[in-house]
Amino acid sequence: LGMAAPAALQRSVVSPAGRHTASLIFLHGSGDTGQGARAWIKQILNQDMAFQHIKVIYPTAPSRPYTPMKGAFSNVWFDRYKICNDCPEHIESIDSMCRGLTDLINDEVKNGIAKNRILIGGFSMGGGMAMHLAYRFHQDLAGVFALSSFLNKDSAVYQALKRNESALPELFQCHGTADELVLYSWGEETNKMLKSLGVSASLHTFPNLNHELNRTEIEKLKSWIVKKLPVEAPKAN
């Protein structure tokens, strides 16, 4: 109480070419920006990741002191004690960001987009953030994607799912086997844990891919997005 409402997140938006009936929220990796993630994908595809009916939103994480960088300020979704999968999560910063991102989801709902027509995901830390947001607070979203991401061994996500009875959003995961920052085994373990807790999850493996994105992966992601958020037939009045 008495806490200031978090400032609205800055965002870079790719508008749909036609009627807006679904939304996609893409969360960048640590130290990046929404603009940066959008530019990176645009460079890989030689064009924006754009759709006929889906609005693509790239929010920017607020700048905060980041422990793995000795407390230097960085655009990160949450803090970490260190980059490993067997240390505790910095739950305070994760939860406070979940509130800020809930505002972003609510903005789309106010625009007339149903929760089951909204997808959330991201790269690296962005994918981890998306899993917390969807599986702990927004289990009615259309789906979640996590690219080169992981959850810590005793993640709050697993605790929440152990108590859960309802249907869960599907997870689309991609990971390079040559990733030296977020090990492939961490991504694989996350996938197995979530599956064991009732999440319908796929893991797409990219041999020789380091901690990065590539074209095949984004094309696969795009196909999955359109499968989860198909074009809606206009309703007859």
Side-chain angles (χ1 to χ4, degrees), residues 121-197:
F123 174 72
S124 193
M125 175 185 261
M129 186 73 233
M131 291 187 278
H132 273 274
L133 190 65
Y135 293 120
R136 292 175 57 214
F137 301 103
H138 297 283
Q139 297 180 344
D140 47 354
L141 290 171
V144 187
F145 60 93
L147 316 173
S148 313
S149 307
F150 73 103
L151 290 170
N152 294 22
K153 283 189 194 299
D154 61 349
S155 177
V157 173
Y158 303 149
Q159 310 311 320
L161 294 181
K162 280 174 185 154
R163 301 187 293 270
N164 176 66
E165 297 299 315
S166 60
L168 297 162
E170 183 187 324
L171 174 68
F172 177 93
Q173 224 181 322
C174 295
H175 216 115
T177 58
D179 195 327
E180 287 163 12
L181 184 69
V182 175
L183 303 186
Y184 176 77
S185 60
W186 299 358
E188 194 177 35
E189 193 179 311
T190 299
N191 191 272
K192 285 190 178 128
M193 271 302 288
L194 289 171
K195 270 192 175 138
S196 75
L197 292 164

Side-chain angles (χ1 to χ4, degrees), residues 69-90:
M69 284 170 48
K70 300 187 169 56
F73 274 73
S74 186
N75 291 65
V76 288
W77 297 109
F78 49 87
D79 199 6
R80 287 187 166 128
Y81 296 105
K82 51 179 196 272
I83 300 173
C84 64
N85 74 336
D86 55 1
C87 54
E89 288 175 323
H90 196 290

